[in-house]
Amino acid sequence: MASDDIAKLADSLAKTQVGGGELSFKGKTLKLNTAEDAQDVIQEIEEFEGLQALRLEGNTFGVEAAKAIAKALEKKPDMKRCHWSDMFTGRLRSEIPAALTSLGDALITAGAQLTELDLSDNAFGPDGVRGFETLLKSPACFTLQELKLNNCGMGIGGGKILAAALTECHKRSSAVGKPLSLKIFVAGRNRLENDGATALAEAFRVIGTLEEVHMPQNGINHPGITALAESFKANPLLKVINLNDNTFTDKGGIAMAETLKTLRQVELINFGDCLVRSKGALAIATALKEGLHKLKELNLSFCEIKQDAALTLVESVEDKSELEKLDLNGNCLGEEGCKQIQEILGGFNMDSVLGSLSDDEGGDDDDDEEDEEDDDDDDDEEDEDEEEEEEEEGQDLDDDKTEWSPEKIPTHVESTPISPPQPPVDVSTFLGFPSPEKLLRMGPKRSILVAQQTDVSNVEKVVQAFIQISSVYRDDHAVKSAVEETVDGLMKKAFGSSIFQPDVFITSLLVQMGLLKSEDKIKTIPQLNGPLLTLNHVVQQDYFPKPLAPILLAFISKPNRALESNPLSRHALLQTLHNL
């Protein structure tokens, strides 16, 4: 065979995966804006007989290109799997709903019966959910088994729209004798918070066929966790529960433990970084003693579990013959506690299941202090729940608007209602423990006071002040304005000083944000939403040195887990930097 024929064959095989009727354009970095741009893709779709799966990941599709591709899909009734993650890089959020609507309508017209829909890593927000809402309610999704919407920035509003669509799909499919039997649901990093999680919990309860639920990193507190726990009771086939990096506290931990007692098929539990604490861990230990015999993996890392509770938990896995991994790293066990855990598991001949304990926080015998902290946290969360209800009313109005602006990005910082007049707050009090309320209570001279009391000759102090101020950013006009005014005062003074080093400032800020590695071991900012939105404001100001923009652009563009958790604020900053 001639070398040019071999090359053509290799190219053909690269484009088309024969097995399973799948056509793949994955990772080809195609940038298709118009129908003409999409002609090669359209031709391959049209010529592919029995097309069942289409991979479009790692490319970027404009509205016109998506419409043209949709036309080709109207004649593909065998479509079952849509691998459409990461397909709108660099697109305006206003473009994405129209593109999704076109593609969804094409599947409906074709009479497709989908089993998998993956739209992960597309920063479309609540409006994007409306773009495929009709598809979800249609007969094309009556057969859906896997729905993957990881890292899409849906927010509370998007979560509610999604929940309503899934509920309607179940209702319509049940009416024709084929009830929706969704098995896998993935929606991590979407900032669903309590209200979004609660709405989805109701949909889960109605569906009742879930086998895997992945909802890590969504800012869910115990009310949302409790709602999910109740819904899981209606899904007896659950095998995987991944709620990593939410906030249970003991209330959520106890509620989830009660649910675990009723489930018989669970194989993986990931409650890592969920602040389950000792009371929650003890409740889970009771659930382990009473059941969960198929459990293969349990992750309770970084949950502030103390020694006695951890030992009880470890003792409860004695009869878990299928257990392969137990992760208790990052808790408060102490050296003696770590040794005892290893000894207990050794006595069960289960030494190999224990993960590393290298990040243990050390022992702490002050149980009374923990109880007080638990009570304080519970009170704080109840306040936050009331605040979220008030904030949601305004957010629902924003969700109905299709035009996007950075001001509409949901923020992770909880809403704080303005309270009756209180004594003013000084700069050190605010910077020591920042909150939106404290920033407002500093009064109209806040920007002058912060600038006066920050030594701009010390870059690290400027970086820390910037981080503390930006951490309280939220989508409330008063707070947003206060953050921007205060940062303006600080940065105008810093960048205007001859002794200030702007490049060192940017480098240090990137390190603190976890976007640039440091030789020193530092604790990076846990939430980047506020800093990203504040940076989006700063880079547009006259005082900002424009030569720094390419540096920021390079690091904000890089793949990074922390940035992927904040797709909307990242997208806003990238757009601004591109336009500078």
Side-chain angles (χ1 to χ4, degrees):
M1 183 180 289
S3 59
D4 58 338
D5 292 333
I6 294 174
K8 288 179 181 178
L9 177 60
D11 182 60
S12 176
L13 289 174
K15 292 179 179 176
T16 306
Q17 299 180 20
V18 178
E22 180 178 290
L23 175 62
S24 177
F25 298 93
K26 182 178 180 179
K28 293 187 177 295
T29 63
L30 302 174
K31 186 173 183 179
L32 309 180
N33 298 317
T34 66
E36 185 178 356
D37 294 339
Q39 280 309 303
D40 289 344
V41 172
I42 293 168
Q43 183 177 345
E44 290 199 50
I45 291 174
E46 289 176 341
E47 293 176 355
F48 198 112
E49 296 295 331
L51 180 64
Q52 295 182 26
L54 178 61
R55 289 191 173 275
L56 299 176
E57 311 104 305
N59 301 288
T60 178
F61 299 86
V63 176
E64 295 306 315
K67 286 181 178 178
I69 291 169
K71 273 291 182 185
L73 288 176
E74 288 179 358
K75 299 175 183 178
K76 300 296 174 182
D78 297 324
M79 273 290 293
K80 297 182 183 301
R81 297 181 299 279
C82 299
H83 302 285
W84 294 351
S85 63
D86 187 22
M87 55 182 278
F88 296 111
T89 302
R91 300 291 170 183
L92 294 173
R93 251 185 74 187
S94 57
E95 294 181 81
I96 301 176
L100 289 174
T101 298
S102 297
L103 293 167
D105 288 347
L107 295 171
I108 296 171
T109 300
Q113 293 186 316
L114 299 183
T115 58
E116 180 178 357
L117 177 60
D118 185 355
L119 293 171
S120 299
D121 300 314
N122 290 310
F124 47 59
D127 292 339
V129 183
R130 296 191 189 281
F132 60 91
E133 179 184 11
T134 300
L135 173 64
L136 279 181
K137 296 177 181 179
S138 75
C141 285
F142 288 179
T143 51
L144 195 63
Q145 296 181 15
E146 301 181 31
L147 179 59
K148 300 174 181 178
L149 299 167
N150 204 55
N151 193 33
C152 292
M154 290 189 292
I156 296 171
K160 288 184 173 182
I161 297 168
L162 176 63
L166 288 172
T167 303
E168 183 64 19
C169 180
H170 187 272
K171 178 181 177 181
R172 293 182 184 182
S173 57
S174 298
V176 296
K178 299 178 181 179
L180 173 66
S181 299
L182 191 67
K183 294 180 179 179
I184 298 175
F185 179 83
V186 180
R189 303 179 191 173
N190 270 290
R191 312 246 299 252
L192 296 167
E193 302 185 21
N194 288 335
D195 288 348
T198 300
L200 284 166
E202 179 58 26
F204 296 164
R205 185 191 63 77
V206 171
I207 293 169
T209 56
L210 289 167
E211 296 181 9
E212 296 185 22
V213 174
H214 302 263
M215 296 175 67
Q217 219 171 78
N218 268 297
I220 309 170
N221 296 327
H222 74 78
I225 295 298
T226 300
L228 288 171
E230 287 300 312
S231 74
F232 292 165
K233 290 179 182 178
N235 289 266
L237 300 178
L238 264 177
K239 296 180 181 179
V240 176
I241 305 174
N242 177 9
L243 296 174
N244 185 280
D245 198 8
N246 288 291
T247 307
F248 282 42
T249 67
D250 54 357
K251 286 186 177 180
I254 291 169
M256 194 61 70
E258 288 301 309
T259 289
L260 292 175
K261 292 178 183 179
T262 70
L263 301 176
R264 298 287 179 265
Q265 307 300 322
V266 176
E267 298 178 2
L268 186 151
I269 298 171
N270 186 347
F271 297 159
D273 206 12
C274 281
L275 209 65
V276 169
R277 291 206 173 120
S278 295
K279 290 180 181 177
L282 288 171
I284 292 172
T286 301
L288 284 164
K289 287 179 182 178
E290 296 181 9
L292 298 171
H293 296 293
K294 294 185 178 182
L295 189 65
K296 295 180 179 179
E297 183 174 337
L298 174 61
N299 184 347
L300 288 171
S301 59
F302 299 94
C303 279
E304 293 191 4
I305 301 170
K306 296 192 176 182
Q307 179 178 322
D308 290 347
L311 294 176
T312 301
L313 184 73
V314 171
E315 289 170 351
S316 70
V317 305
E318 180 178 6
D319 64 343
K320 302 298 175 286
S321 58
E322 296 189 33
L323 189 66
E324 299 172 357
K325 183 177 180 181
L326 175 62
D327 191 346
L328 294 172
N329 199 21
N331 285 297
C332 309
L333 311 178
E335 185 176 347
E336 183 61 29
C338 291
K339 287 181 181 178
Q340 290 185 47
I341 285 173
Q342 291 165 342
E343 290 172 0
I344 292 171
L345 289 173
F348 300 157
N349 292 319
M350 297 174 70
D351 317 58
S352 61
V353 307
L354 184 64
S356 170
L357 297 174
S358 60
D359 292 319
D360 184 67
E361 295 291 336
D364 184 352
D365 297 327
D366 194 352
D367 291 333
D368 292 336
E369 181 181 341
E370 179 190 52
D371 290 340
E372 291 174 3
E373 290 174 357
D374 282 349
D375 292 338
D376 289 342
D377 284 344
D378 289 343
D379 290 339
D380 289 344
E381 287 165 16
E382 288 170 5
D383 291 340
E384 289 168 1
D385 296 339
E386 294 174 1
E387 293 159 9
E388 285 173 356
E389 289 175 5
E390 294 176 10
E391 188 174 34
E392 181 63 13
E393 294 178 7
Q395 184 170 349
D396 284 343
L397 293 174
D398 284 345
D399 288 346
D400 289 334
K401 301 174 183 177
T402 56
E403 184 178 355
W404 175 81
S405 65
E407 287 80 6
K408 293 172 189 170
I409 299 174
T411 58
H412 184 79
V413 180
E414 302 292 343
S415 173
T416 306
I418 298 174
S419 56
Q422 296 183 37
V425 171
D426 59 33
V427 174
S428 59
T429 299
F430 168 73
L431 293 179
F433 298 94
S435 73
E437 182 186 18
K438 287 179 184 175
L439 183 63
L440 294 175
R441 285 170 55 194
M442 286 176 67
K445 294 185 178 181
R446 62 181 74 86
S447 61
I448 298 172
L449 294 172
V450 171
Q452 286 177 341
Q453 297 187 39
T454 304
D455 181 7
V456 297
S457 66
N458 187 326
V459 172
E460 291 304 319
K461 287 187 177 180
V462 177
V463 170
Q464 287 305 315
F466 177 92
I467 290 170
Q468 298 296 71
I469 298 164
S470 64
S471 70
V472 306
Y473 190 110
R474 66 178 175 85
D475 198 15
D476 172 275
H477 179 71
V479 176
K480 176 177 174 292
S481 297
V483 168
E484 292 176 351
E485 290 171 7
T486 308
V487 165
D488 283 341
L490 173 66
M491 299 315 303
K492 191 178 294 185
K493 177 185 177 183
F495 288 128
S497 171
S498 59
I499 58 175
F500 187 68
Q501 298 172 287
D503 54 339
V504 177
F505 169 79
I506 289 296
T507 300
S508 178
L509 183 60
L510 290 169
V511 168
Q512 294 289 334
M513 293 173 71
L515 308 181
L516 179 62
K517 289 186 179 179
S518 170
E519 294 181 0
D520 301 322
K521 188 174 182 180
I522 64 167
K523 188 173 183 180
T524 57
I525 307 170
Q527 295 294 336
L528 295 186
N529 193 62
L532 288 171
L533 291 175
T534 306
L535 270 175
N536 186 55
H537 167 78
V538 167
V539 299
Q540 298 178 64
Q541 307 311 306
D542 292 339
Y543 60 71
F544 180 76
K546 295 305 183 278
L548 296 178
I551 300 173
L552 272 177
L553 181 60
F555 283 93
I556 301 299
S557 300
K558 282 184 176 180
N560 182 283
R561 180 178 176 184
L563 288 173
E564 290 167 1
S565 304
N566 300 274
L568 305 185
S569 47
R570 178 192 194 182
H571 180 75
L573 179 55
L574 281 174
Q575 271 194 297
T576 300
L577 291 170
H578 275 296
N579 293 330
L580 286 179

